[in-house]
Amino acid sequence: MLVHVAEDFGIHLTAVEVINGGVDRAAQDFLGRTETTAYAIKWSAGGSAAGLVVPSALADRGVRAVSAPVRTRDGRLYSERDGRRLSVTPWVGDRNGLDGGLDEAQCREFGALLAATHSLPVTPELAAVLPAAGHDQDLAAARAAEALLHASPPPDAIAAEARSIWTDHAELIAAVVDRVESLASAVTPSTVCHTDPHLGNVLAAPGRMWLIDWDDAALSTPEHDLMFVLGGTYGDEHIGDRERDWFFEGYGPVTVRPRHLAYWRASRGLADIAFLAGEAFTPGEYGETWRARAVRLLAANLGPTGLIARAMA
């Protein structure tokens, strides 16, 4: 890694530390240091190059709440190593947004950032890399999880609990699938969106915030991003009415379309429960501490205050 970064970006690192804990299994994340500067380094086979093109475009427009990628020695946003994108960005933020939430100034800047993202013109450069968001992958993930949970006896108690939760909610899950399919025709993706701006992807420092992990940026509708501040999503214990008011003071006037919001909530809800059920059901690959937490999150996602319940309301 030291050699790759030096050859491709002209940055001579003195130390590299592996960063664990992300849910993106297609990426390896590192903290790299020179004598004076720290960098976030990602080596990824997932997402698209939009994850670098979009924050670069925002930074070019004067948006400060993104960490613009460092360009390679020949001016590109990333290099390619072993079929993966290698990217380098300045290390930002003192803490994750899940650790205590955001204050008033940070909430306003969060809103202003998403407003700037949603107003980005879809240039030829962006159009070339931005996929259109949709529900196909989320429905496929839900069906794959269903098949996994019933393909063989649960290997242990954690897996058995995951299958029991899924089975108890089978009718609800089927109804969510129907709702996604019935709402799809009402949604036309045409707006640049992050698509995953939960507080786990926010870094904060006094008077500042940054939104990171743009790998799943896509053409969508504003509701795809706004659902993360409207309740029911990961980290929403830190987003109450006060924080929402601050956020929309930064974002500006908006009319949230209920059908669009329900569509993205339902689709994301299916993806989340599929991910959690799959990891809870698979011993060996994932540690028991995380698998037990995945079961609790699975139950919460299917509960009365979760994203799925809000999508079906």
Side-chain angles (χ1 to χ4, degrees):
M1 184 58 62
L2 292 168
V3 173
H4 294 340
V5 172
E7 290 180 349
D8 298 348
F9 295 88
I11 297 172
H12 298 277
L13 301 173
T14 57
V16 174
E17 175 185 344
V18 177
I19 304 299
N20 296 315
V23 298
D24 182 0
R25 307 302 182 193
Q28 291 179 279
D29 296 295
F30 306 89
L31 167 59
R33 298 183 186 275
T34 67
E35 291 185 0
T36 58
T37 309
Y39 295 94
I41 301 168
K42 178 171 281 191
W43 194 20
S44 178
S48 75
L52 299 165
V53 176
V54 173
S56 179
L58 287 166
D60 288 346
R61 293 166 71 89
V63 176
R64 69 173 196 160
V66 293
S67 183
V70 176
R71 290 189 177 266
T72 63
R73 298 176 73 175
D74 58 0
R76 294 175 294 140
L77 295 174
Y78 61 93
S79 63
E80 294 187 19
R81 290 284 180 171
D82 297 332
R84 296 182 175 191
R85 289 184 305 279
L86 178 64
S87 61
V88 177
T89 58
W91 187 269
V92 295
D94 294 334
R95 64 175 177 85
N96 188 282
L98 291 172
D99 181 16
L102 303 180
D103 63 22
E104 182 175 354
Q106 291 161 345
C107 285
R108 287 200 178 100
E109 187 160 22
F110 191 15
L113 166 61
L114 288 186
T117 304
H118 298 162
S119 65
L120 270 179
V122 184
T123 61
E125 183 183 21
L126 281 174
V129 297
L130 278 170
H135 65 269
D136 290 346
Q137 287 187 335
D138 296 341
L139 261 62
R143 291 174 178 133
E146 172 92 24
L148 172 67
L149 291 171
H150 294 92
S152 60
D156 60 15
I158 294 175
E161 187 176 0
R163 184 164 78 171
S164 176
I165 292 169
W166 190 285
T167 301
D168 289 345
H169 294 87
E171 289 187 8
L172 173 60
I173 295 168
V176 176
V177 170
D178 290 343
R179 185 151 178 76
V180 168
E181 293 177 327
S182 69
L183 290 172
S185 62
V187 178
T188 303
S190 58
T191 300
V192 179
C193 292
H194 182 283
T195 80
D196 197 25
H198 57 73
L199 289 184
N201 282 333
V202 171
L203 297 177
R208 294 291 304 273
M209 60 76 57
W210 296 264
L211 182 59
I212 62 171
D213 286 351
W214 291 79
D215 285 358
D216 292 321
L219 289 176
S220 187
T221 73
E223 291 82 4
H224 201 158
D225 285 343
L226 296 178
M227 70 175 173
F228 289 91
V229 297
L230 292 174
T233 56
Y234 182 51
D236 76 342
E237 67 271 20
H238 298 296
I239 303 177
D241 291 341
R242 181 182 63 171
E243 288 77 16
R244 272 187 284 275
D245 287 344
W246 292 337
F247 173 90
F248 283 108
E249 286 172 8
Y251 187 90
V254 62
T255 300
V256 176
R257 293 162 290 188
R259 290 170 66 84
H260 290 64
L261 181 61
Y263 173 76
W264 293 119
R265 278 175 160 170
S267 184
R268 174 58 184 244
L270 289 173
D272 285 350
I273 63 171
F275 170 78
L276 293 166
E279 299 219 335
F281 201 78
T282 311
E285 187 171 356
Y286 310 110
E288 285 198 7
T289 299
W290 162 244
R291 290 178 60 231
R293 182 167 181 257
V295 167
R296 294 193 297 272
L297 291 172
L298 176 63
N301 274 256
L302 287 164
T305 61
L307 196 60
I308 282 178
R310 291 174 184 267
M312 298 298 289

